[in-house]
Amino acid sequence: MKCAKIESLIYLYNELDEREKLYVDVHKDGCASCRSLFVQRGQQHIWIREVGAMPVLAASPPRIKRNIMQAIEANKENSFTEIINIVTMYWLRASLAIASILIAGLFFAQRSADYSRTVLNSTNSVSNGIRLNTPQFLKAHLKRRESANQISFYDCLKQSDSEFLKNLKAN
Amino acid sequence: MHSPTTPEVIKAAKAGSVKAFETIVDDHQVFAYRVAFRLIGDTQEAEDIVQESFISLWKNLDRYRADLKLTTWLYRIIVNKCLDYFKSTTTKQNKNKVALQFAVALADNNNPEKEFESNELLKVIHDASKLLTPKQRAVFVLRDLEGLEVSEVCEILSISAGNLKSNLYYARLAMSEKLKSFNEHETSYL
Ligand SMILES: [Zn+2]
């Protein structure tokens, strides 16, 4: 049983710590079988190192190097193009974002102007018992738009309630 | 053995210098090819793996940490690519057809007996390697043929010392069984 354990340690002799090596050494000094395996393994280790020192089947270092460097140059060019693409893409994104914000801003500015006018008109109309989106309401509204070329947009907005209601009732 | 690349060269290559990287290729390509060839046993495949490994090294140089040796990192890339090669289904089908060779014996006209012995030794090790799993072969190549330290082999393969010892034990046991016949042949000459 002890020999079996020692044998497995002999295969890993170079990886053992000093205490384990001593344990193997003490045993093999008194055991011919383990000593024989130890000597045999020592010889085999030398042969394996001999093989390790032999050159491998010829390759072509210049060809390997050329292929590597070509691939790297190509990769570098690709990386440069990639950076340009990213920069261009970000510029494009930024421009689109700014344009979107401007359009949204214009939309809301216009909408708020329209809203204040509509609220003014509709409040007046509702308070005067006229329902919205009825032919009566729209007619008055259109009439007011027709006269818009005579007065400024600002004046139109300022048009007083009474004036609007006068138009409304006249129709 | 390969000559170590200076930290300045590595730094320049990290900064994107192709010239500096060329120096790294010069310093390491011989050992890189030798390891790939010993693991794969096929010149063309080994060449492809070496090329892919260096390209991968170039692409990931910015992630390189100075506390790890560049050779260790390169070994790791190569060994992983070789292990992936063994895992691929097409390779599994052709695995037995691959003529595994660890080295070539140099022609020695002055000592034909020595040349014969070297060829015999290579043949025995070649036959024994067929019995090893890819991991056992990797451990055997790195530790016994390349002569790397245990800690470095563990780092390359990302395994514990215990795992390394167990793989190394089975690899050496298989080698030893085959080499016994070589032992007998050798002693018969004495
Ligand atoms: Zn014993």
Side-chain angles (χ1 to χ4, degrees):
Chain A
M1 187 63 193
K2 195 176 183 185
C3 283
K5 194 189 173 187
I6 296 291
E7 277 171 18
S8 61
L9 290 177
I10 286 172
Y11 282 99
L12 296 167
Y13 190 79
N14 288 336
E15 287 73 31
L16 301 180
D17 60 35
E18 291 309 310
R19 195 179 53 85
E20 290 168 320
K21 276 182 181 168
L22 187 68
Y23 178 66
V24 173
D25 291 345
V26 168
H27 174 88
K28 76 174 166 58
D29 284 347
C31 175
S33 161
C34 288
R35 197 163 54 245
S36 165
L37 178 69
F38 186 83
V39 172
Q40 195 183 62
R41 271 298 305 158
Q43 180 58 63
Q44 289 177 353
H45 181 70
I46 292 166
W47 286 331
I48 289 168
R49 293 313 301 264
E50 263 179 42
V51 171
M54 286 179 191
V56 293
L57 203 65
S60 171
R63 184 178 59 229
I64 296 177
K65 187 182 157 181
R66 195 178 55 239
N67 289 345
I68 293 167
M69 298 319 291
Q70 273 174 2
I72 282 162
E73 291 286 0
N75 178 262
K76 215 179 173 188
E77 276 167 29
N78 284 347
S79 307
F80 184 70
T81 320
E82 224 166 82
I83 290 164
I84 295 290
N85 287 344
I86 289 167
V87 169
T88 317
M89 196 173 74
Y90 277 109
W91 267 110
L92 197 69
R93 278 186 187 180
S95 313
L96 284 172
I98 291 166
S100 309
I101 291 165
L102 283 174
I103 291 168
L106 281 170
F107 172 77
F108 282 111
Q110 187 61 40
R111 192 168 174 266
S112 74
D114 284 351
Y115 178 78
S116 55
R117 197 162 52 144
T118 311
V119 167
L120 176 74
N121 294 346
S122 57
T123 313
N124 290 337
S125 309
V126 172
S127 61
N128 283 282
I130 299 160
R131 293 181 64 190
L132 291 173
N133 291 335
T134 56
Q136 196 189 8
F137 171 81
L138 290 172
K139 212 171 170 185
H141 196 67
L142 284 170
K143 185 155 187 168
R144 206 178 81 164
R145 282 183 68 179
E146 273 166 22
S147 60
N149 54 355
Q150 291 160 10
I151 55 166
S152 71
F153 181 65
Y154 183 68
D155 287 337
C156 179
L157 284 178
K158 282 204 310 185
Q159 194 180 36
S160 68
D161 291 0
S162 55
E163 217 174 322
F164 177 70
L165 288 171
K166 207 166 73 190
N167 279 333
L168 204 62
K169 276 171 189 162
N171 292 285
Chain B
M1 281 301 277
H2 44 270
S3 53
T5 306
T6 60
E8 289 74 29
V9 171
I10 299 171
K11 207 175 161 187
K14 270 181 91 168
S17 163
V18 174
K19 192 79 197 149
F21 192 76
E22 198 175 345
T23 309
I24 293 177
V25 175
D26 284 335
D27 290 348
H28 299 88
Q29 76 156 317
V30 172
F31 99 79
Y33 174 79
R34 192 177 61 225
V35 173
F37 178 74
R38 282 175 170 163
L39 283 167
I40 300 290
D42 179 85
T43 49
Q44 190 52 54
E45 290 293 343
E47 255 192 61
D48 289 349
I49 282 175
V50 169
Q51 284 165 25
E52 284 170 23
S53 300
F54 274 105
I55 294 162
S56 172
L57 182 74
W58 166 258
K59 285 182 183 170
N60 295 292
L61 256 184
D62 54 331
R63 279 169 41 207
Y64 172 69
R65 313 186 317 264
D67 58 324
L68 195 72
K69 278 201 306 188
L70 189 72
T71 46
T72 306
W73 208 35
L74 188 58
Y75 267 125
R76 190 186 283 175
I77 297 172
I78 295 165
V79 172
N80 282 337
K81 286 199 185 288
C82 291
L83 293 178
D84 287 346
Y85 170 82
F86 284 118
K87 272 185 218 157
S88 70
T89 47
T90 47
T91 312
K92 268 180 193 163
Q93 287 158 1
N94 296 323
K95 203 172 149 186
N96 294 331
K97 285 190 239 163
V98 173
L100 281 173
Q101 286 169 294
F102 285 106
V104 278
L106 291 173
D108 191 345
N109 295 327
N110 298 327
N111 194 347
E113 198 175 300
K114 177 74 187 161
E115 193 189 327
F116 175 78
E117 275 172 32
S118 297
N119 277 319
E120 279 296 294
L121 181 61
L122 280 174
K123 191 180 174 299
V124 169
I125 290 183
H126 161 223
D127 287 346
S129 75
K130 282 182 181 171
L131 306 169
L132 307 182
T133 64
K135 205 172 188 180
Q136 287 168 359
R137 189 182 297 145
V139 168
F140 173 74
V141 167
L142 296 173
R143 175 71 180 147
D144 284 358
L145 292 182
E146 291 291 313
L148 299 184
E149 289 298 321
V150 169
S151 57
E152 194 171 9
V153 180
C154 288
E155 202 150 23
I156 291 165
L157 294 167
S158 305
I159 56 173
S160 65
N163 194 329
L164 174 129
K165 281 183 184 177
S166 129
N167 278 291
L168 198 56
Y169 170 73
Y170 287 110
R172 285 177 181 170
L173 196 64
M175 285 291 158
S176 190
E177 284 302 311
K178 292 279 175 189
L179 281 168
K180 266 179 195 164
S181 61
F182 193 73
N183 270 74
E184 284 152 17
H185 164 83
E186 276 289 288
T187 45
S188 69
Y189 279 103
L190 298 173

